[in-house]
Amino acid sequence: SLARRCHHRSTAMLDMPFLPFCAFLGTLGLLCVAMVGSWCQHWRGGFSLDGSSRTFNWHPVLMVTGLVVLYGAAALVYRIPNTWSGPKLPWKVLHGSLALGAFVLTVLGLAAVFHFHNSQGTPNMYSLHSWMGLATVLLFSCQWVAGFGAFLLPWAPAWLRALYKPIHVFFGSTILMLSVASCVSGINEKLFFSLKNGTTAYKLLPAEAVFANTLGLLILIFGVLVVGALARPSWKRPDSDSPDSRQ
């Protein structure tokens, strides 16, 4: 009918192609990494491994790069149209490898903050940010191990994969949003700790506060866009037994 054709035409007009969206998202992710590095270099004194505050600076850089940007890239691998046909194993390996890379950077980021705290005599794991961050990393660990066992090892039965897949997808989005929340709360906590004695107070909004607040907003936008892409029906890989994939 005419109404149905009009509906399909309007839906097609609104349906943004995935690859331009992906390019925009990649640019946004690189911008987040560049900004967190610039913040730590320009305002926080740069980087070192001597246990000082410059050791701490590795923490935000590695966490944003690993737990947000690289993890977001891993989550979107199966939305690339090229993955919808042909053997699935190379894409599984890419998905798992990106997630593993994100995990390695995350562990190094945790090591940096624990090294800094222990060198300075600062207590560990007392703030909401630290609780949320550790919960995110533990969930991420379980997610990667369970995903590896269910989808990459050849002896996992098909019924187990079918049962676990929606759980894996749900926790994929959940972990990303927890990562974003952890990063944003960490940026806020760092500003409260840093912008006080001898500096312009946070409440007076110095340039560093504007820059870091903007970084937090961009990280949030990145996370929301990734979750939105994961939820978009037209970008989902067709099921192997669906009419679309059979065609």
Side-chain angles (χ1 to χ4, degrees):
S1 69
L2 179 61
R4 186 175 297 168
R5 282 201 301 274
C6 288
H7 171 72
H8 284 315
R9 194 172 298 138
S10 63
T11 304
M13 287 171 63
L14 290 170
D15 197 15
M16 181 182 180
F18 177 76
L19 293 179
F21 170 84
C22 217
F24 170 76
L25 199 61
T27 305
L28 180 58
L30 289 174
L31 179 61
C32 289
V33 173
M35 283 184 70
V36 70
S38 300
W39 176 34
C40 293
Q41 182 66 48
H42 181 70
W43 279 289
R44 296 288 107 224
F47 303 91
S48 81
L49 299 173
D50 59 4
S52 69
S53 61
R54 292 184 302 158
T55 300
F56 170 86
N57 289 342
W58 287 107
H59 176 68
V61 171
L62 291 168
M63 290 311 203
V64 170
T65 306
L67 212 49
V68 176
V69 178
L70 209 53
Y71 185 84
L76 288 176
V77 163
Y78 294 121
R79 297 302 183 269
I80 301 171
N82 298 7
T83 69
W84 294 0
S85 59
K88 200 174 177 182
L89 183 61
W91 301 105
K92 285 185 179 183
V93 172
L94 176 62
H95 175 74
S97 300
L98 286 171
L100 183 61
F103 183 70
V104 170
L105 293 182
T106 300
V107 170
L108 292 174
L110 283 180
V113 73
F114 282 123
H115 179 37
F116 165 69
H117 281 173
N118 295 337
S119 299
Q120 303 296 316
T122 305
N124 290 307
M125 302 307 300
Y126 65 88
S127 67
L128 176 60
H129 163 68
S130 62
W131 290 10
M132 189 157 48
L134 190 62
T136 306
V137 174
L138 290 174
L139 262 179
F140 185 11
S141 310
C142 296
Q143 171 88 338
W144 195 90
V145 170
F148 181 80
F151 301 122
L152 271 172
L153 295 183
W155 53 77
W159 65 264
L160 179 62
R161 294 183 184 191
L163 183 70
Y164 176 61
K165 185 182 174 183
I167 300 170
H168 187 76
V169 170
F170 170 78
F171 276 105
S173 297
T174 301
I175 291 165
L176 179 64
M177 293 317 295
L178 281 172
S179 302
V180 167
S182 299
C183 287
V184 169
S185 64
I187 290 167
N188 202 226
E189 186 178 284
K190 185 62 178 174
L191 290 172
F192 275 120
F193 283 155
S194 302
L195 300 180
K196 46 182 185 182
N197 303 331
T199 67
T200 307
Y202 189 11
K203 64 183 179 182
L204 298 177
L205 209 63
E208 180 181 353
V210 173
F211 188 88
N213 284 354
T214 304
L215 167 63
L217 286 176
L218 291 178
I219 289 170
L220 180 61
I221 291 168
F222 179 89
V224 168
L225 288 177
V226 172
V227 171
L230 292 174
R232 194 178 183 102
S234 60
W235 288 350
K236 288 184 180 177
R237 178 190 173 102
D239 290 331
S240 56
D241 56 350
S242 71
D244 289 341
S245 64
R246 283 202 298 269
Q247 287 170 9

